[in-house]
Amino acid sequence: MTALAIAYGDVAAAHERIRGAAHRTPVLTSSTADALAGAQLFFKCENFQRMGAFKFRGAYNAISQFTPEQRAGGVITFSSGNHAQAIALSAKLLGVKAVIVMPQDAPAIKVEATRGYGGEVIFYDRYTEDREALGRRLAEERGLTLIPPYDHPHVMAGQGTAAKELFEDAGPLDMLFVCLGGGGLLSGCSVAAHELSPGCAIVGVEPEAGNDGQQSLQSGAIVHIDTPRTIADGAQTQHLGNHTFPVIQQLVREIVTVSDAELVETMKFFASRMKLVVEPTGCLAAAAVLNRKVDIAGKRVGVIVSGGNVDLLRFASLVSGGQS
Ligand SMILES: *Cc1c(COP(=O)(O)O)cnc(C)c1O
């Protein structure tokens, strides 16, 4: 058995590093949700995290470990949005310059927020250009340190602090549902669960249109797909990472998928019943639970609500039946 990229000690150390900078987000319950799911649900609400998503945890944990040289040089990343804002805000708090490579069609709210935190934005075409190659080239040319959105041990450990807090607040759980893009959140949370709630079954949740993680788990190797077309813009990743996949392979029980229509229904549920504004990607785990994609009857189930960054007009359009 080869060593995994992170161990529980890395998650615990990350939690110390982000203390005072990140919010300890609330764990909410809802008897309406419990009735729908037929289980006892605990929602870890990262839509209330700083900059609106769990990504702040990993970004802050990564930049706080920069050497003085790296701090002086600055940080660069490529992202569909939330990681960009997380890097921009963390960099600002830690006094480091940030350059962000973003898709041209990234939601306006995410572009504006990134610029608002002082990040320099460089656009690319997500359907024709390779963002990773562009990011690496710019990093080399400008002496910046690249922090990718998921495939980095410091990012993974930081994301795992969300599950650490959930177990500390809710106690041991039978199951934990986590949304899946590139697997930073899922791998970190799995490592936390393995230590703090042994026996907790971990389920990853992907958009139906982009089930590369499910295919990877089934085939035993990282499967690459074309950029999936889904409203879950935070999970439009084409493949899991070299660091995240082995953790997922070892600790995750299964990966299930939900449709865009199910995500919209879940956005409506959160808004109308729990008074929560959750972005489409943030609804993945809850959609799997509310639609009972896995047998959860009578169980204590953790659900990571990963983020709340959605344009108000897009939110209104989605919940009122539009397609944008
Ligand atoms: C990035 C992101 C995800 C996916 O996280 P990974 O670590 O890439 O798997 C899910 N939800 C939201 C809101 C995100 O920003």
Side-chain angles (χ1 to χ4, degrees):
M1 195 169 79
T2 50
L4 298 178
I6 57 166
Y8 177 70
D10 299 306
V11 178
H15 208 200
E16 284 305 314
R17 267 181 221 111
I18 69 171
R19 190 189 300 280
H23 295 317
R24 186 176 184 106
T25 55
V27 176
L28 299 188
T29 57
S30 155
S31 46
T32 313
D34 287 0
L36 274 173
Q40 197 181 354
L41 308 181
F42 299 88
F43 296 96
K44 175 64 172 169
C45 292
E46 287 295 295
N47 53 312
F48 292 132
Q49 186 49 264
R50 283 187 87 165
M51 53 58 60
F54 70 90
K55 292 261 182 11
F56 180 75
R57 298 172 181 272
Y60 193 90
N61 185 48
I63 300 176
S64 17
Q65 292 177 76
F66 275 18
T67 64
E69 290 73 27
Q70 288 176 312
R71 283 185 189 236
V75 60
I76 182 169
T77 194
F78 45 83
S79 167
S80 66
N82 282 335
H83 178 66
Q85 287 175 69
I87 287 286
L89 175 57
S90 302
K92 183 176 150 175
L93 293 171
L94 293 162
V96 173
K97 183 181 82 169
V99 175
I100 314 293
V101 179
M102 263 197 191
Q104 275 151 0
D105 61 350
I109 187 178
K110 296 187 174 179
V111 178
E112 287 318 309
T114 303
R115 288 194 174 130
Y117 293 131
E120 179 193 342
V121 177
I122 297 177
F123 288 109
Y124 78 102
D125 179 346
R126 78 158 93 204
Y127 297 104
T128 62
E129 282 181 281
D130 180 354
R131 65 180 191 169
E132 307 196 15
L134 181 59
R136 291 213 166 77
R137 183 162 57 74
L138 286 168
E140 204 160 309
E141 283 171 7
R142 300 205 199 173
L144 301 151
T145 299
L146 180 68
I147 298 295
Y150 55 86
D151 204 28
H152 190 294
H154 299 170
V155 172
M156 295 157 65
Q159 318 306 32
T161 61
K164 179 174 184 282
E165 291 175 6
L166 172 58
F167 289 114
E168 285 169 357
D169 291 352
L173 300 169
D174 300 314
M175 304 185 83
L176 176 65
F177 285 70
V178 184
C179 53
L180 173 60
L185 183 65
L186 179 57
S187 60
C189 288
S190 300
V191 168
H194 192 63
E195 173 83 14
L196 299 174
S197 186
C200 176
I202 317 286
V203 180
V205 188
E206 282 183 312
E208 221 167 67
N211 72 332
D212 61 288
Q214 190 180 51
Q215 293 181 43
S216 301
L217 205 56
Q218 281 162 5
S219 70
I222 298 172
V223 171
H224 290 241
I225 58 168
D226 289 338
T227 299
R229 301 210 181 234
T230 164
I231 59 169
D233 55 87
Q236 284 183 306
T237 39
Q238 294 174 266
H239 56 86
L240 299 180
N242 292 324
H243 293 301
T244 60
F245 178 60
V247 178
I248 290 167
Q249 206 176 16
Q250 205 168 102
L251 300 179
V252 172
R253 188 176 85 180
E254 66 180 306
I255 294 173
V256 299
T257 64
V258 299
S259 67
D260 279 5
E262 287 167 333
L263 290 177
V264 168
E265 282 310 306
T266 305
M267 287 173 80
K268 287 187 195 172
F269 176 83
F270 274 135
S272 63
R273 296 308 184 108
M274 295 181 71
K275 317 305 163 199
L276 296 177
V277 174
V278 184
E279 63 183 279
T281 317
C283 291
L284 282 164
V289 163
L290 295 176
N291 289 286
R292 306 193 196 197
K293 299 279 171 169
V294 175
D295 180 15
I296 54 171
K299 301 230 156 76
R300 287 167 51 83
V301 179
V303 179
I304 308 274
V305 179
S306 58
N309 291 329
V310 52
D311 274 309
L312 195 55
L313 290 179
R314 181 160 181 262
F315 181 86
S317 160
L318 284 169
V319 300
S320 63
Q323 285 303 306
S324 71

